[in-house]
Amino acid sequence: MASSAAPRPTASLDAQLATSGVLAQIVRYDIPEPTDGRHSVGEGYHVNMCLTPRPLQSRGGYRRRWGPHRLERLGDIFVLPPGEELFVKGGSGRQASLICTIDARMVHDLVGRELTWDNSHLAAALDIGSAQMRALLFRITAEVRHPGLAAQRMLGFLGGELAIELGRHCLEVAERPITGGLAGWRLRLIDERLADDLAAPSLEELAALCALSVRQLTRGFRVSRACSIGDYVEQRRMEAAKRLLMEGESVKTIAFSMGFASPSSFTFAFRRAVGASPSTFRQRQGRVLA
């Protein structure tokens, strides 16, 4: 008797808003089994921000450039440049994402140059920690969900700002020192510490873990990840908080497990990072995934 085919991932479009050069969509994914697929876009830039926790162990790589074995961590925000093909591996689950597709000519005209996408730029685009880009994507999400007066014009303005921030991100990567970043094993140690313990580590703890001084750690980390180590730690902690909220944990339990002095202090930090209170986030994502 032939075995039945494995269930395939599905995607559903919840809402979208479009204007000249910019298409913004909220897409819901149902991923019944661990995935190994590929993503590609045509002539536009694909900017993806997960609105719910990304499946565990999500990794991405450019096989045509890097070969089949190099896979980098896929962050809350990643960018896929035009003409590139990204291979993604990840766990199962349900997820919602904001996907913005921006015309490449619009990006290059606003930035004043064509953007370079060598291996270092491609790797840096798989986990973007820019607070400015995150804030713009949250504003676009709100506009897509609840279009207001002149919504298409507003999307055009926000899409233009997003294009400029993308150009600035690429320029920052190009201006990084060729050397001076942290070794891969040190970056993995930091990620493992953040995954194993929800409490925020001190710089002294992470420096000792990496056998470096605090100054070496902070400088090297910024070179490697294009953001401060403090911002990175906060992003990873909020990712964990989002996952716990979707699993049904109470705000109080999450707050104390993460080392906050009170649920209100956790709520303040969560709202600052995510753009919504924990209860609003849980209700909103529950509706999206229902």
Side-chain angles (χ1 to χ4, degrees):
M1 182 176 178
S3 60
S4 59
R8 298 177 63 85
T10 59
S12 304
L13 179 64
D14 277 1
Q16 76 172 22
L17 186 63
T19 190
S20 178
V22 185
L23 171 64
Q25 301 172 306
I26 296 177
V27 181
R28 177 164 37 98
Y29 299 93
D30 189 356
I31 308 170
E33 293 188 345
T35 57
D36 183 1
R38 62 183 181 178
H39 297 265
S40 60
V41 291
E43 297 303 314
Y45 283 93
H46 170 113
V47 184
N48 182 304
M49 180 177 75
C50 62
L51 302 173
T52 55
R54 203 175 287 286
L56 290 170
Q57 303 303 318
S58 293
R59 298 288 186 272
Y62 292 90
R63 289 183 181 174
R64 292 178 180 175
R65 292 176 176 253
W66 299 351
H69 303 298
R70 179 181 174 184
L71 293 171
E72 302 285 346
R73 184 184 185 281
L74 213 56
D76 268 2
I77 302 171
F78 72 84
V79 173
L80 179 58
E84 297 291 344
E85 191 172 59
L86 178 68
F87 285 79
V88 176
K89 281 191 173 185
S92 60
R94 292 184 299 169
Q95 180 197 337
S97 292
L98 171 72
I99 300 173
C100 288
T101 304
I102 309 177
D103 184 83
R105 288 171 298 180
M106 172 180 160
V107 173
H108 299 157
D109 286 346
L110 286 169
V111 173
R113 67 175 75 180
E114 288 198 14
L115 300 182
T116 300
W117 292 98
D118 56 20
N119 286 337
S120 62
H121 285 82
L122 289 173
L126 292 180
D127 187 1
I128 293 181
S130 166
Q132 291 79 11
M133 288 183 68
R134 186 179 301 271
L136 286 168
L137 291 168
F138 277 132
R139 289 191 63 191
I140 292 172
T141 301
E143 201 66 40
V144 175
R145 280 196 174 122
H146 307 290
L149 177 67
Q152 290 179 314
R153 181 168 292 185
M154 177 62 77
L155 178 62
F157 291 146
L158 295 173
E161 286 189 62
L162 183 61
I164 292 170
E165 289 297 341
L166 177 59
R168 289 177 175 179
H169 173 80
C170 290
L171 184 61
E172 182 179 349
V173 173
E175 291 178 346
R176 288 186 207 169
I178 297 176
T179 60
L182 297 184
W185 65 268
R186 288 191 166 105
L187 294 172
R188 286 192 295 273
L189 282 178
I190 293 171
D191 285 338
E192 289 168 4
R193 162 58 182 84
L194 297 176
D196 292 341
D197 188 349
L198 295 179
S202 66
L203 288 177
E204 289 76 14
E205 177 189 347
L206 294 179
L209 185 67
C210 296
L212 296 170
S213 69
V214 169
R215 186 177 183 183
Q216 288 173 318
L217 173 71
T218 54
R219 285 186 172 182
F221 191 91
R222 184 174 286 278
V223 169
S224 295
R225 291 274 166 85
C227 66
S228 73
I229 193 166
D231 286 346
Y232 184 83
V233 168
E234 191 69 7
Q235 290 169 22
R236 295 298 165 258
R237 277 160 49 81
M238 292 303 113
E239 283 181 28
K242 288 192 287 186
R243 196 176 301 280
L244 291 171
L245 285 166
M246 296 308 296
E247 291 172 357
E249 291 287 352
S250 70
V251 171
K252 182 178 180 180
T253 299
I254 297 172
F256 290 132
S257 67
M258 296 185 73
F260 285 92
S262 66
S264 60
S265 59
F266 163 68
T267 297
F268 177 81
F270 189 90
R271 187 192 298 275
R272 181 181 59 195
V274 179
S277 69
S279 58
T280 300
F281 171 83
R282 180 164 20 214
Q283 292 167 3
R284 183 182 293 163
Q285 302 315 317
R287 289 195 299 267
V288 168
L289 297 177

